[in-house]
Each structure stands twice: as structure tokens, then as C-alpha cells.
Amino acid sequence: MPISLDGQLVVAISSRALFDFEEENQVFEASDDRAYMRLQLERVDSPAKPGVAFSLVNKLLAFNAVDAQRVEVVILSRNDPVSGMRVFRSAKHYGLPIQRGVFTRGQSPWRYLRPLSANLFLSTNEPDVRSALSAGVPAARVFPQSARASTDHPNEVRIAFDGDAVLFSDEAEQVYQRDGLDAFQSHELDRAQTPLAAGPFKPLLEALHRLQREPSDTMRIRTALVTARSAPAHERAVRTLMGWNIEVDEAMFLGGLPKGEFLREFEPDFFFDDQTGHIENALAHVPSGHVAAGVRNLIS
């Protein structure tokens, strides 16, 4: 019977998102890929330090049991196969049961997301992230300088999402950009009973919700909606989630307040937002990823 990943939450991740390869990357940028390969080969027996998304991956893999594989993590990297040896050895060192990887030596690997049926793609490469989003895969650009996740919740995967252009479509954001705050508030109040269309990260939220419903003796999932919306525009967001039959554990309607300090208190393993300003405010506190979707991320 052929092997299948059907029914699993599939996370595709670049090597720089999972491990701290910033020193090696400086060699690549200052020289060429062969110098980078030589350095990685010299360090093949030295485990790389955990990267920004390490905590998220480590905790998600803890949902697996001998008789139930619920999560699959696949390395999807512009690295070369030689450097890939160090990636796999580093994963083994930390006890991460990662056995699949695609290494493309400088070419964009995003096209392999389709045969994987990936639920999430994390990469430090913005063009790869944009290509994945265009293909309908939830994807975010990881910032290597982000703070690392707190260790205070070892048995809980904590994930925070922005709303518009992330969980929801950017319909309301387009109104705000075009006509201002008052028009946005009026638009959302008039449509409070009308669910928002799905945004690029709804499939990930659904996959997490399915994982959350399956029994696990060791791990839980806790989610938060962290949005610049405020009353009365909050109601449409809440009703949209209700219409999807998806619950979030916490909701923060901040009315434009900086998100960073609120996220610091929530202590997520990862935070997703479509606005670089919010990411810049958050990354000093929590692992953060930019979702290059919606009207704010159009390339002129």
C-alpha cells in the first residue's frame, strides 16, 4: 500500500526557519554557494542552534504517537544536498523525527508544496512565500532576528493570527485603505451578520482545529486572534469564526494599539500578520512571520 500523508497536518519549512544558519548565510552572501557548502560540510557533525520556528515544529511533532501520525514536517530548502546532511543531523540531535526533505540548491522549492498538500510553508525567502500564497498554500516569511519562543508552555502549542488578509479576506482592509476608518467601521457594522470570505490562513486554522479535536495525552493547541479591529467591527470577525464552526481561545481587539506587548503576554510559538509594521513591533517579543497577502502587500 503506498505511503500517504493524507489526514496529517503537513508543515514545510526551510532550513533557515528551523535552524539558526545566519552565520553560514553571511558566508554565502559574501562569497558563493561553494564556500557555503564547504562550511556546512566542515560543520556537519556540529548541531545547528534552534531557529525561529523550532519551538513550533518541536511542539507540533509531539502530537505524534507510535500508532497515530498526525503531523508531518518536511524540509523544503534552497540549500544543496550536502548542506542537507547537516540539517537532518541537527534534527536528529534534537530528537525531531524529520525524515523527508527537498533540497534545490538555489532554485525555488515552492512547487513541491503541491505534491505534499502542505498546510503551512515557512521560509526566510519572500519570493518563495509569495509564490506559495499565490498557489493557495498558507505561507509566511520568517524573520531570523525574531525573539525565540517562551519555554513556559511545554505542553501547549500557542499560535496567534491577525485577522484581515490572514484568517479573513482583505475585503474590509480595502475599504479602510480607500475610504478611511469611519467608512471601514460603517461597512463592517452594516455587514456584521455577513461572514467574511476566507483568507489565506483559514486552511491552517481548520487543520489545527482538527488536530485539536483529536485526543492527545501530552499536547494541546491554544489559538489567539490578535487584530487592530475594535468594537463595533469586532462582531463580524467573531461571527465569521462561528460560521466556520471554529473556536479561538483568545481574541484581542486592539483598535490600533501596538501588538507586540500583548503578544509578549500571550507567548505564542508563532505569530502571523500581513503588515510589516506589526511584525517589526512583534519580533522583539515573539517568533513572527509576514504573510505577504492582501492590498497592503501588492507589488507596484
Side-chain angles (χ1 to χ4, degrees):
M1 189 173 184
I3 293 173
S4 172
L5 302 180
D6 290 348
Q8 297 186 47
L9 189 157
V10 179
V11 177
I13 187 167
S14 74
S15 53
R16 277 182 69 198
L18 182 58
F19 295 115
D20 183 351
F21 283 145
E22 296 317 294
E23 184 178 338
E24 292 84 351
N25 189 62
Q26 289 176 13
V27 171
F28 173 80
E29 293 181 350
S31 184
D32 56 29
D33 65 337
R34 293 199 173 276
Y36 175 87
M37 289 168 59
R38 284 195 301 271
L39 181 58
Q40 290 285 36
L41 186 57
E42 289 170 3
R43 298 179 174 182
V44 70
D45 293 318
S46 299
K49 295 178 182 178
V52 176
F54 182 92
S55 177
L56 176 66
V57 166
N58 187 37
K59 288 183 178 181
L60 284 173
L61 285 169
F63 274 94
N64 289 335
V66 175
D67 60 343
Q69 295 297 303
R70 301 183 177 98
V71 176
E72 177 73 17
V73 175
V74 180
I75 306 296
L76 204 58
S77 173
R78 286 175 176 256
N79 261 325
D80 61 280
V82 172
S83 303
M85 290 196 301
R86 189 178 181 208
V87 176
F88 278 124
R89 289 194 185 191
S90 295
K92 182 179 179 181
H93 170 79
Y94 293 107
L96 300 179
I98 298 174
Q99 59 180 333
R100 294 183 172 89
V102 177
F103 300 91
T104 60
R105 193 176 179 181
Q107 295 297 306
S108 176
W110 72 267
R111 61 192 181 276
Y112 296 109
L113 293 165
R114 286 174 290 197
L116 288 169
S117 298
N119 301 107
L120 176 64
F121 177 48
L122 296 174
S123 173
T124 58
N125 186 283
E126 183 172 353
D128 289 349
V129 166
R130 286 183 176 271
S131 296
L133 287 165
S134 295
V137 179
R141 177 190 172 196
V142 174
F143 286 75
Q145 68 269 35
S146 292
R148 300 307 190 252
S150 167
T151 59
D152 290 344
H153 310 283
N155 301 114
E156 202 166 62
V157 180
R158 294 187 163 217
I159 305 179
F161 299 91
D162 181 31
D164 297 291
V166 178
L167 291 182
F168 315 126
S169 77
D170 72 332
E171 166 204 327
E173 181 64 30
Q174 291 183 42
V175 173
Y176 175 75
Q177 291 292 313
R178 184 179 64 245
D179 301 322
L181 180 60
D182 289 343
F184 164 81
Q185 296 279 25
S186 177
H187 179 271
E188 293 304 281
L189 187 60
D190 291 344
R191 292 163 179 78
Q193 304 291 326
T194 304
L196 285 153
F201 270 65
K202 183 194 176 186
L204 175 61
L205 188 63
E206 289 177 321
L208 290 170
H209 191 62
R210 290 193 297 270
L211 189 63
Q212 195 170 25
R213 292 201 306 265
E214 297 176 0
S216 172
D217 295 332
T218 57
M219 294 299 296
R220 301 180 300 276
I221 292 175
R222 189 169 185 85
T223 54
L225 171 65
V226 184
T227 173
R229 285 175 177 255
S230 59
H234 75 294
E235 186 169 325
R236 192 178 186 196
V238 174
R239 288 188 177 276
T240 296
L241 292 171
M242 292 170 62
W244 294 347
N245 292 316
I246 294 176
E247 298 178 354
V248 294
D249 298 290
E250 300 191 23
M252 306 176 200
F253 301 103
L254 300 181
L257 289 174
K259 296 182 180 181
E261 293 187 359
F262 292 89
L263 289 162
R264 181 190 64 202
E265 300 304 318
F266 178 65
E267 298 182 311
D269 294 289
F270 218 85
F271 167 59
F272 299 101
D273 200 293
D274 71 302
Q275 296 188 36
T276 54
H278 293 320
I279 294 294
E280 289 167 0
N281 181 255
L283 60 78
H285 304 285
V286 299
S288 303
H290 177 232
V291 180
V295 66
R296 285 183 175 268
N297 290 291
L298 295 175
I299 298 177
S300 56

CSV table of all heavy atoms in Angstrom, one decimal, residues 138-184:
chain,number,residue,atom,x,y,z
A,138,PRO,N,-1.0,28.3,2.7
A,138,PRO,CA,-0.7,29.3,3.8
A,138,PRO,C,0.8,29.4,4.0
A,138,PRO,O,1.5,28.3,4.1
A,138,PRO,CB,-1.3,28.7,5.0
A,138,PRO,CG,-2.4,27.8,4.5
A,138,PRO,CD,-1.9,27.3,3.2
A,139,ALA,N,1.4,30.6,3.9
A,139,ALA,CA,2.8,30.7,3.9
A,139,ALA,C,3.2,32.0,4.6
A,139,ALA,O,2.5,33.0,4.5
A,139,ALA,CB,3.4,30.7,2.5
A,140,ALA,N,4.4,32.1,5.2
A,140,ALA,CA,4.8,33.3,5.9
A,140,ALA,C,6.3,33.4,5.8
A,140,ALA,O,7.0,32.3,5.9
A,140,ALA,CB,4.4,33.3,7.3
A,141,ARG,N,6.8,34.6,5.7
A,141,ARG,CA,8.2,34.8,5.7
A,141,ARG,C,8.7,35.0,7.1
A,141,ARG,O,8.2,35.8,7.9
A,141,ARG,CB,8.6,36.1,4.9
A,141,ARG,CG,10.0,36.5,5.0
A,141,ARG,CD,10.3,37.9,4.5
A,141,ARG,NE,11.6,38.3,4.7
A,141,ARG,CZ,12.0,39.6,4.6
A,141,ARG,NH1,11.1,40.6,4.3
A,141,ARG,NH2,13.3,39.9,4.8
A,142,VAL,N,9.6,34.1,7.5
A,142,VAL,CA,10.2,34.1,8.9
A,142,VAL,C,11.3,35.1,9.0
A,142,VAL,O,12.1,35.2,8.1
A,142,VAL,CB,10.7,32.7,9.2
A,142,VAL,CG1,11.4,32.6,10.6
A,142,VAL,CG2,9.6,31.7,9.2
A,143,PHE,N,11.3,35.8,10.1
A,143,PHE,CA,12.4,36.8,10.4
A,143,PHE,C,13.4,36.2,11.3
A,143,PHE,O,13.1,36.0,12.5
A,143,PHE,CB,11.8,38.1,10.9
A,143,PHE,CG,11.1,38.9,9.9
A,143,PHE,CD1,9.8,38.5,9.4
A,143,PHE,CD2,11.6,40.1,9.4
A,143,PHE,CE1,9.2,39.3,8.5
A,143,PHE,CE2,11.0,40.8,8.4
A,143,PHE,CZ,9.8,40.4,7.9
A,144,PRO,N,14.6,35.9,10.9
A,144,PRO,CA,15.6,35.2,11.7
A,144,PRO,C,15.9,36.0,13.0
A,144,PRO,O,16.3,35.4,14.0
A,144,PRO,CB,16.8,35.0,10.8
A,144,PRO,CG,16.3,35.0,9.5
A,144,PRO,CD,15.1,36.0,9.5
A,145,GLN,N,15.7,37.3,13.0
A,145,GLN,CA,16.1,38.1,14.1
A,145,GLN,C,15.0,38.1,15.2
A,145,GLN,O,15.1,38.8,16.2
A,145,GLN,CB,16.4,39.6,13.7
A,145,GLN,CG,15.3,40.4,13.2
A,145,GLN,CD,15.1,40.3,11.7
A,145,GLN,OE1,15.4,39.2,11.1
A,145,GLN,NE2,14.7,41.4,11.0
A,146,SER,N,13.9,37.4,14.9
A,146,SER,CA,12.8,37.4,15.9
A,146,SER,C,13.2,36.8,17.2
A,146,SER,O,14.1,35.9,17.2
A,146,SER,CB,11.6,36.5,15.3
A,146,SER,OG,11.0,37.1,14.2
A,147,ALA,N,12.6,37.2,18.3
A,147,ALA,CA,12.8,36.6,19.6
A,147,ALA,C,12.4,35.1,19.5
A,147,ALA,O,11.5,34.7,18.7
A,147,ALA,CB,11.9,37.3,20.6
A,148,ARG,N,13.0,34.3,20.3
A,148,ARG,CA,12.7,32.9,20.4
A,148,ARG,C,11.5,32.7,21.3
A,148,ARG,O,11.2,33.5,22.2
A,148,ARG,CB,13.8,32.0,20.8
A,148,ARG,CG,15.1,32.1,20.0
A,148,ARG,CD,14.8,31.8,18.5
A,148,ARG,NE,15.9,31.6,17.7
A,148,ARG,CZ,16.3,32.5,16.7
A,148,ARG,NH1,15.6,33.6,16.6
A,148,ARG,NH2,17.4,32.3,16.0
A,149,ALA,N,10.7,31.6,21.1
A,149,ALA,CA,9.5,31.3,21.9
A,149,ALA,C,9.8,31.1,23.3
A,149,ALA,O,10.9,30.6,23.7
A,149,ALA,CB,8.8,30.1,21.3
A,150,SER,N,8.9,31.4,24.2
A,150,SER,CA,9.0,31.2,25.6
A,150,SER,C,9.0,29.7,25.8
A,150,SER,O,8.4,28.9,25.1
A,150,SER,CB,7.8,31.8,26.3
A,150,SER,OG,7.7,31.3,27.6
A,151,THR,N,9.6,29.3,26.9
A,151,THR,CA,9.6,27.8,27.3
A,151,THR,C,8.6,27.6,28.4
A,151,THR,O,8.6,26.5,29.0
A,151,THR,CB,11.0,27.4,27.8
A,151,THR,OG1,11.4,28.3,28.9
A,151,THR,CG2,12.0,27.6,26.7
A,152,ASP,N,7.7,28.5,28.7
A,152,ASP,CA,6.8,28.4,29.8
A,152,ASP,C,5.6,27.5,29.6
A,152,ASP,O,4.9,27.2,30.5
A,152,ASP,CB,6.3,29.8,30.2
A,152,ASP,CG,7.3,30.6,30.9
A,152,ASP,OD1,8.4,30.1,31.3
A,152,ASP,OD2,7.1,31.9,31.0
A,153,HIS,N,5.4,27.1,28.3
A,153,HIS,CA,4.2,26.2,28.0
A,153,HIS,C,4.6,25.0,27.2
A,153,HIS,O,4.3,24.9,26.0
A,153,HIS,CB,3.2,27.1,27.2
A,153,HIS,CG,2.9,28.4,27.8
A,153,HIS,ND1,2.0,28.5,28.9
A,153,HIS,CD2,3.4,29.6,27.5
A,153,HIS,CE1,2.0,29.8,29.2
A,153,HIS,NE2,2.8,30.5,28.4
A,154,PRO,N,5.4,24.1,27.8
A,154,PRO,CA,5.9,23.0,27.1
A,154,PRO,C,4.9,22.0,26.5
A,154,PRO,O,5.2,21.2,25.6
A,154,PRO,CB,6.8,22.3,28.2
A,154,PRO,CG,6.2,22.7,29.5
A,154,PRO,CD,5.7,24.1,29.3
A,155,ASN,N,3.7,22.0,27.0
A,155,ASN,CA,2.6,21.1,26.6
A,155,ASN,C,1.5,21.8,25.8
A,155,ASN,O,0.4,21.2,25.7
A,155,ASN,CB,2.1,20.3,27.8
A,155,ASN,CG,3.1,19.5,28.5
A,155,ASN,OD1,3.4,19.8,29.7
A,155,ASN,ND2,3.7,18.6,27.9
A,156,GLU,N,1.8,23.0,25.3
A,156,GLU,CA,0.8,23.7,24.6
A,156,GLU,C,1.4,24.4,23.4
A,156,GLU,O,2.4,25.2,23.5
A,156,GLU,CB,0.2,24.8,25.5
A,156,GLU,CG,-1.2,25.2,25.2
A,156,GLU,CD,-1.8,26.0,26.3
A,156,GLU,OE1,-1.3,27.0,26.7
A,156,GLU,OE2,-2.9,25.6,26.8
A,157,VAL,N,0.9,24.1,22.2
A,157,VAL,CA,1.3,24.9,21.0
A,157,VAL,C,0.4,26.2,21.0
A,157,VAL,O,-0.8,26.1,20.9
A,157,VAL,CB,1.0,24.1,19.7
A,157,VAL,CG1,1.4,24.9,18.5
A,157,VAL,CG2,1.7,22.8,19.8
A,158,ARG,N,1.1,27.3,21.0
A,158,ARG,CA,0.4,28.6,21.0
A,158,ARG,C,0.6,29.3,19.7
A,158,ARG,O,1.8,29.6,19.3
A,158,ARG,CB,0.8,29.4,22.2
A,158,ARG,CG,0.4,28.8,23.5
A,158,ARG,CD,0.7,29.8,24.7
A,158,ARG,NE,0.0,29.4,25.9
A,158,ARG,CZ,-0.6,30.2,26.8
A,158,ARG,NH1,-0.4,31.5,26.6
A,158,ARG,NH2,-1.2,29.8,27.8
A,159,ILE,N,-0.4,29.7,19.0
A,159,ILE,CA,-0.3,30.3,17.7
A,159,ILE,C,-1.3,31.5,17.7
A,159,ILE,O,-2.4,31.4,18.1
A,159,ILE,CB,-0.6,29.4,16.6
A,159,ILE,CG1,0.2,28.1,16.6
A,159,ILE,CG2,-0.4,30.1,15.2
A,159,ILE,CD1,0.0,27.1,15.5
A,160,ALA,N,-0.7,32.7,17.3
A,160,ALA,CA,-1.5,33.9,17.2
A,160,ALA,C,-1.6,34.3,15.7
A,160,ALA,O,-0.7,34.3,15.0
A,160,ALA,CB,-0.9,35.0,18.0
A,161,PHE,N,-2.9,34.8,15.3
A,161,PHE,CA,-3.1,35.2,14.0
A,161,PHE,C,-3.7,36.6,14.0
A,161,PHE,O,-4.6,36.9,14.8
A,161,PHE,CB,-4.2,34.3,13.3
A,161,PHE,CG,-3.8,32.8,13.2
A,161,PHE,CD1,-4.2,31.9,14.3
A,161,PHE,CD2,-3.2,32.3,12.1
A,161,PHE,CE1,-3.9,30.6,14.2
A,161,PHE,CE2,-2.9,30.9,12.0
A,161,PHE,CZ,-3.2,30.1,13.1
A,162,ASP,N,-3.3,37.4,13.0
A,162,ASP,CA,-4.0,38.6,12.6
A,162,ASP,C,-5.3,38.1,11.9
A,162,ASP,O,-5.4,37.0,11.5
A,162,ASP,CB,-3.1,39.4,11.7
A,162,ASP,CG,-3.8,40.7,11.3
A,162,ASP,OD1,-4.6,41.3,12.1
A,162,ASP,OD2,-3.5,41.2,10.2
A,163,GLY,N,-6.2,39.1,11.7
A,163,GLY,CA,-7.5,38.8,11.1
A,163,GLY,C,-7.5,39.0,9.6
A,163,GLY,O,-7.3,38.2,8.8
A,164,ASP,N,-7.7,40.3,9.3
A,164,ASP,CA,-7.9,40.7,7.9
A,164,ASP,C,-6.6,40.4,7.1
A,164,ASP,O,-5.5,40.8,7.5
A,164,ASP,CB,-8.2,42.2,7.8
A,164,ASP,CG,-9.6,42.5,8.5
A,164,ASP,OD1,-10.6,42.0,7.9
A,164,ASP,OD2,-9.6,43.1,9.5
A,165,ALA,N,-6.8,39.8,5.9
A,165,ALA,CA,-5.7,39.4,5.0
A,165,ALA,C,-4.9,38.2,5.5
A,165,ALA,O,-3.9,37.8,4.9
A,165,ALA,CB,-4.8,40.5,4.6
A,166,VAL,N,-5.3,37.6,6.7
A,166,VAL,CA,-4.6,36.4,7.2
A,166,VAL,C,-5.7,35.3,7.4
A,166,VAL,O,-5.8,34.4,6.5
A,166,VAL,CB,-3.8,36.7,8.5
A,166,VAL,CG1,-3.2,35.4,9.0
A,166,VAL,CG2,-2.8,37.8,8.2
A,167,LEU,N,-6.5,35.4,8.4
A,167,LEU,CA,-7.6,34.5,8.6
A,167,LEU,C,-8.7,34.8,7.6
A,167,LEU,O,-9.4,33.9,7.1
A,167,LEU,CB,-8.0,34.4,10.0
A,167,LEU,CG,-7.1,33.8,11.1
A,167,LEU,CD1,-7.8,33.8,12.4
A,167,LEU,CD2,-6.7,32.4,10.7
A,168,PHE,N,-9.0,36.1,7.5
A,168,PHE,CA,-10.1,36.5,6.6
A,168,PHE,C,-9.5,37.2,5.4
A,168,PHE,O,-8.3,37.5,5.3
A,168,PHE,CB,-10.9,37.6,7.4
A,168,PHE,CG,-11.2,37.2,8.8
A,168,PHE,CD1,-10.9,38.0,9.9
A,168,PHE,CD2,-11.8,35.9,9.1
A,168,PHE,CE1,-11.2,37.7,11.2
A,168,PHE,CE2,-12.1,35.6,10.4
A,168,PHE,CZ,-11.8,36.4,11.5
A,169,SER,N,-10.4,37.4,4.4
A,169,SER,CA,-10.0,38.1,3.2
A,169,SER,C,-9.7,39.6,3.6
A,169,SER,O,-10.0,40.0,4.7
A,169,SER,CB,-11.2,38.1,2.2
A,169,SER,OG,-12.2,39.1,2.6
A,170,ASP,N,-9.2,40.3,2.6
A,170,ASP,CA,-8.8,41.7,2.9
A,170,ASP,C,-9.9,42.7,2.4
A,170,ASP,O,-9.6,43.9,2.2
A,170,ASP,CB,-7.5,42.1,2.3
A,170,ASP,CG,-7.5,42.2,0.8
A,170,ASP,OD1,-8.4,41.5,0.2
A,170,ASP,OD2,-6.7,42.9,0.2
A,171,GLU,N,-11.1,42.2,2.2
A,171,GLU,CA,-12.2,43.0,1.8
A,171,GLU,C,-12.4,44.3,2.6
A,171,GLU,O,-12.5,45.4,2.1
A,171,GLU,CB,-13.5,42.2,1.9
A,171,GLU,CG,-14.8,43.0,1.8
A,171,GLU,CD,-16.0,42.3,2.4
A,171,GLU,OE1,-16.1,41.1,2.4
A,171,GLU,OE2,-16.9,43.0,2.9
A,172,ALA,N,-12.4,44.1,4.0
A,172,ALA,CA,-12.6,45.3,4.8
A,172,ALA,C,-11.4,46.2,4.8
A,172,ALA,O,-11.5,47.4,4.9
A,172,ALA,CB,-12.9,44.8,6.3
A,173,GLU,N,-10.2,45.6,4.7
A,173,GLU,CA,-9.0,46.4,4.6
A,173,GLU,C,-8.9,47.3,3.4
A,173,GLU,O,-8.5,48.4,3.4
A,173,GLU,CB,-7.7,45.5,4.7
A,173,GLU,CG,-6.4,46.2,4.6
A,173,GLU,CD,-6.1,47.1,5.8
A,173,GLU,OE1,-6.6,46.7,6.9
A,173,GLU,OE2,-5.4,48.1,5.6
A,174,GLN,N,-9.5,46.8,2.3
A,174,GLN,CA,-9.6,47.6,1.1
A,174,GLN,C,-10.5,48.8,1.3
A,174,GLN,O,-10.1,49.9,0.8
A,174,GLN,CB,-10.1,46.7,-0.1
A,174,GLN,CG,-9.2,45.6,-0.5
A,174,GLN,CD,-9.7,44.8,-1.7
A,174,GLN,OE1,-10.3,45.4,-2.6
A,174,GLN,NE2,-9.6,43.5,-1.7
A,175,VAL,N,-11.6,48.6,2.0
A,175,VAL,CA,-12.4,49.7,2.3
A,175,VAL,C,-11.7,50.8,3.2
A,175,VAL,O,-11.7,52.0,2.9
A,175,VAL,CB,-13.7,49.3,3.1
A,175,VAL,CG1,-14.5,50.4,3.5
A,175,VAL,CG2,-14.5,48.4,2.1
A,176,TYR,N,-11.0,50.3,4.2
A,176,TYR,CA,-10.2,51.1,5.1
A,176,TYR,C,-9.1,51.9,4.3
A,176,TYR,O,-9.0,53.1,4.5
A,176,TYR,CB,-9.5,50.3,6.2
A,176,TYR,CG,-8.6,51.1,7.1
A,176,TYR,CD1,-9.2,52.0,8.0
A,176,TYR,CD2,-7.3,51.1,6.9
A,176,TYR,CE1,-8.3,52.7,8.9
A,176,TYR,CE2,-6.4,51.8,7.8
A,176,TYR,CZ,-7.0,52.6,8.7
A,176,TYR,OH,-6.2,53.4,9.5
A,177,GLN,N,-8.4,51.2,3.4
A,177,GLN,CA,-7.4,51.9,2.6
A,177,GLN,C,-8.0,52.9,1.7
A,177,GLN,O,-7.4,54.0,1.5
A,177,GLN,CB,-6.6,50.9,1.8
A,177,GLN,CG,-5.7,49.9,2.7
A,177,GLN,CD,-4.6,50.7,3.3
A,177,GLN,OE1,-3.9,51.5,2.7
A,177,GLN,NE2,-4.4,50.5,4.6
A,178,ARG,N,-9.1,52.7,1.1
A,178,ARG,CA,-9.7,53.5,0.1
A,178,ARG,C,-10.5,54.7,0.8
A,178,ARG,O,-10.3,55.9,0.3
A,178,ARG,CB,-10.7,52.7,-0.7
A,178,ARG,CG,-11.3,53.5,-1.9
A,178,ARG,CD,-12.2,52.7,-2.7
A,178,ARG,NE,-13.3,52.2,-2.0
A,178,ARG,CZ,-13.6,50.9,-1.7
A,178,ARG,NH1,-12.7,50.0,-2.1
A,178,ARG,NH2,-14.6,50.5,-1.0
A,179,ASP,N,-11.2,54.4,1.9
A,179,ASP,CA,-12.2,55.4,2.4
A,179,ASP,C,-12.0,55.9,3.8
A,179,ASP,O,-12.6,56.7,4.3
A,179,ASP,CB,-13.6,54.9,2.2
A,179,ASP,CG,-14.0,54.6,0.8
A,179,ASP,OD1,-13.5,55.4,-0.1
A,179,ASP,OD2,-14.6,53.6,0.5
A,180,GLY,N,-11.0,55.2,4.5
A,180,GLY,CA,-10.7,55.6,5.9
A,180,GLY,C,-11.5,54.8,7.0
A,180,GLY,O,-12.3,53.9,6.7
A,181,LEU,N,-11.2,55.2,8.2
A,181,LEU,CA,-11.6,54.4,9.4
A,181,LEU,C,-13.2,54.5,9.5
A,181,LEU,O,-13.8,53.4,9.8
A,181,LEU,CB,-11.0,54.9,10.7
A,181,LEU,CG,-11.4,54.2,12.0
A,181,LEU,CD1,-11.1,52.7,11.9
A,181,LEU,CD2,-10.7,54.9,13.2
A,182,ASP,N,-13.8,55.6,9.4
A,182,ASP,CA,-15.2,55.7,9.6
A,182,ASP,C,-16.0,54.9,8.6
A,182,ASP,O,-16.9,54.2,8.9
A,182,ASP,CB,-15.7,57.2,9.4
A,182,ASP,CG,-15.2,58.0,10.6
A,182,ASP,OD1,-14.9,57.5,11.7
A,182,ASP,OD2,-15.2,59.3,10.5
A,183,ALA,N,-15.5,54.9,7.3
A,183,ALA,CA,-16.1,54.0,6.3
A,183,ALA,C,-15.9,52.6,6.6
A,183,ALA,O,-16.9,51.7,6.4
A,183,ALA,CB,-15.5,54.4,4.9
A,184,PHE,N,-14.8,52.2,7.1
A,184,PHE,CA,-14.5,50.8,7.5
A,184,PHE,C,-15.5,50.4,8.6
A,184,PHE,O,-16.1,49.3,8.5
A,184,PHE,CB,-13.0,50.7,8.0
A,184,PHE,CG,-12.7,49.4,8.7
A,184,PHE,CD1,-12.5,48.2,8.1
A,184,PHE,CD2,-12.7,49.5,10.1
A,184,PHE,CE1,-12.2,47.1,8.8
A,184,PHE,CE2,-12.4,48.3,10.8
A,184,PHE,CZ,-12.2,47.1,10.2
